[in-house]
Amino acid sequence: MAYKFPSAEWTEQLHEQVNSSDSYASAAKTWEGDVLLVIEGGGGIYLDLWHGECRSAEFFEDPDSKDAEFTISASMEKWQRVLAGKLDPVQGIVTRQIKLDGNLVKIMKNVKSAQELVRCATLVDTEY
């Protein structure tokens, strides 16, 4: 079954993928910080990430209603490229295709955990 991106159902599937991934748990074992993924004009996905686990995941119609240590914003087209594995999000941030509000140095020190998080997202059966 395909899940509409972004939505509460898609977010729930991502939550399950992250928490069932040994690769993410290993790569993110020292990560501490929450993330808000903003789809410009389409809502936001909040992830409470802590030591290789996603403690909670929520979809918000209005992403401005939630604060996080990191806010990562992009157009729907850019998110589609990320989820298709055609755009590495860290590369997207560095080349300013994706906007980061947060500490870039912390992200750069944790590239593997970011890549594993995206890999989990690519495993969700997604429709747009």
Side-chain angles (χ1 to χ4, degrees), residues 8-29:
E9 295 77 17
W10 189 94
T11 302
E12 182 180 317
Q13 292 302 308
L14 175 61
H15 188 193
E16 290 177 15
Q17 287 290 343
V18 170
N19 285 336
S20 65
S21 171
D22 292 336
S23 298
Y24 177 76
S26 175
K29 65 182 174 245

Side-chain angles (χ1 to χ4, degrees), residues 77-102:
E77 183 264 333
K78 297 290 187 227
W79 284 119
Q80 287 175 329
R81 291 190 61 217
V82 168
L83 293 174
K86 295 179 179 170
L87 175 62
D88 178 275
V90 175
Q91 187 69 29
I93 289 168
V94 171
T95 60
R96 299 190 178 180
Q97 297 177 66
I98 297 173
K99 181 181 174 228
L100 170 69
D101 182 11

Side-chain angles (χ1 to χ4, degrees), residues 36 38 43-44 60-68 71 73:
L36 182 62
V38 176
F60 291 89
E61 293 286 343
D62 177 10
D64 292 336
S65 66
K66 191 73 174 173
D67 288 325
T71 300
S73 307

